[in-house]
Amino acid sequence: MTIFRPDIETHKPVTAAKITSIEGFSASAKPITNISEFWAKVRAIVQVGQLSILALLILGGGAANAGPLPLDERSRPNGPDRFFDYDRAVGFWTEVETLPALEKAWERCENNEAFAYWNNVWLIERGRHQSWVLKKRANGQEAVWTAWEKRHANFVYDYVLEHYDPEGMALVKGDLETVKYCHDLLRTYETWHYTYKAAKRNPAHGAGVYEYEYSNISEPFNDWDRHCFHMRGPKGINKDECNDLPDWRTPEEVAKYDAGLVNNQIARAKTARQTEEQRATSRKVVEDYLASHGDSLSEADRDALKAAIE
């Protein structure tokens, strides 16, 4: 099947690449955290008094998207206008709270050809056509502008998809409810991904500095305060609330986040300027970490970590 990318100004189709599926739609292999290696590094760091996050974390190259759902390099965070049904997106956000629940919700979309076709069209067209829409509005076609501004997904479906390959359009229309469901789910996940990613920015830096490092993590998951400044930018769902993210992190990502948080607190605890209140916070973070991950640790491991903040 050949997709045609239209020039919306003239409605002359321009041939684009042939598509049969989207890379990354096969189920992602679940990462396995090497706890023994991790804690060997912790012991070595504590023994020599080093507090380098690069030494503490299990970092590895890995794929660009190690999450449970596919992320295309063209993806972006999404506001209410990018969904077919914003209320459904809010439902995914508030009711699909865990990684297993997300994977279960995604089963309907796995290897669905109609959605794969639509998603490629969407990623090509989602940011185009403003000038064309403005011309239509100037000519009295307010409905075109309303669709583009308020429901961009509907705009691409109603005004753009028909200029692509007729066979592809028939494929999408033949399974439209699934396409809309999967579109809203994937757009919700994209928004979650970029919001969560912003928690790895340094809260002391301004809006123009984009450095995503585990060493910047200073607050527990969904207990953010200082990090909310950067997170509100990409958060297109429940934008006024910072600490309502579903936990869609993989086990590997949880381990990296927790290790980054613990290491950050250890570093702060070693700072002479830290107040007793801050020390108490650091101790609680480490205690919570031990409560979550302690089953896999030896007594020596636990003692080493506790000693780092005493």
Side-chain angles (χ1 to χ4, degrees):
M1 181 190 304
T2 301
I3 288 182
F4 292 95
R5 174 176 175 176
D7 181 342
I8 200 71
E9 298 290 346
T10 61
H11 298 281
K12 294 179 180 178
V14 180
T15 302
K18 183 177 181 180
I19 174 175
T20 56
S21 64
I22 295 179
E23 183 179 357
F25 262 69
S26 60
S28 302
K30 298 299 181 293
I32 299 175
T33 303
N34 189 332
I35 296 295
S36 299
E37 179 183 350
F38 171 76
W39 283 105
K41 292 180 180 180
V42 171
R43 288 194 300 272
I45 292 165
V46 171
Q47 289 170 2
V48 299
Q50 295 176 340
L51 297 167
S52 169
I53 190 72
L54 293 178
L56 229 173
L57 291 180
I58 310 169
L59 291 176
N65 171 36
L69 270 59
L71 278 178
D72 191 281
E73 62 181 8
R74 298 168 292 177
S75 68
R76 296 293 183 273
N78 302 282
D81 63 316
R82 298 304 169 105
F83 301 97
F84 281 109
D85 185 341
Y86 177 65
D87 290 339
R88 175 165 49 199
V90 173
F92 289 140
W93 190 275
T94 58
E95 297 170 16
V96 184
E97 298 179 312
T98 65
L99 178 63
L102 176 65
E103 293 172 326
K104 182 67 176 177
W106 182 249
E107 287 179 0
R108 181 177 174 183
C109 313
E110 191 75 41
N111 298 320
N112 182 281
E113 291 185 8
F115 175 65
Y117 183 95
W118 161 261
N119 196 49
N120 188 64
V121 173
W122 166 259
L123 291 170
I124 292 171
E125 302 293 345
R126 60 172 181 76
R128 288 158 48 93
H129 316 306
Q130 184 176 18
S131 61
W132 180 81
V133 169
L134 289 172
K135 290 177 184 178
K136 293 292 184 182
R137 187 186 191 190
N139 291 330
Q141 298 184 38
E142 191 70 24
V144 179
W145 166 258
T146 300
W148 189 88
E149 183 182 42
K150 294 186 177 180
R151 281 291 178 266
H152 209 78
N154 286 335
F155 169 82
V156 173
Y157 178 77
D158 291 336
Y159 295 97
V160 179
L161 183 62
E162 65 183 27
H163 300 291
Y164 276 71
D165 185 81
E167 185 181 349
M169 184 174 181
L171 185 67
V172 172
K173 287 191 171 185
D175 199 5
L176 185 57
E177 287 308 308
T178 297
V179 167
K180 289 183 175 182
Y181 168 92
C182 298
H183 173 94
D184 289 345
L185 179 57
L186 186 53
R187 304 290 84 84
T188 303
Y189 178 72
E190 289 170 349
T191 299
W192 176 90
H193 168 79
Y194 289 105
T195 305
Y196 171 66
K197 183 178 178 181
K200 301 171 191 174
R201 292 176 63 182
N202 191 328
H205 290 166
V209 181
Y210 297 92
E211 295 177 351
Y212 303 97
E213 304 289 347
Y214 288 94
S215 57
N216 292 328
I217 295 172
S218 61
E219 296 167 322
F221 183 86
N222 264 352
D223 194 18
W224 295 293
D225 181 16
R226 299 169 65 235
H227 287 274
C228 290
F229 172 77
H230 291 307
M231 296 174 71
R232 286 194 178 100
K235 193 173 188 295
I237 297 175
N238 296 345
K239 201 171 183 67
D240 293 334
E241 176 58 55
C242 182
N243 295 300
D244 68 338
L245 271 67
D247 196 349
W248 293 339
R249 299 174 297 169
T250 63
E252 180 185 47
E253 178 59 29
V254 171
K256 288 182 177 182
Y257 188 97
D258 289 353
L261 175 62
V262 167
N263 196 66
N264 185 294
Q265 297 298 330
I266 290 173
R268 294 173 64 186
K270 293 294 184 180
T271 302
R273 297 187 301 273
Q274 191 177 42
T275 66
E276 182 54 38
E277 181 180 358
Q278 290 170 327
R279 287 182 181 276
T281 299
S282 297
R283 284 193 290 270
K284 186 176 187 310
V285 167
V286 173
E287 288 168 359
D288 289 345
Y289 187 88
L290 289 170
S292 299
H293 303 277
D295 290 346
S296 59
L297 309 179
S298 68
E299 184 176 352
D301 289 332
R302 291 193 292 272
D303 290 343
L305 187 55
K306 291 177 181 177
I309 59 165
E310 290 177 353

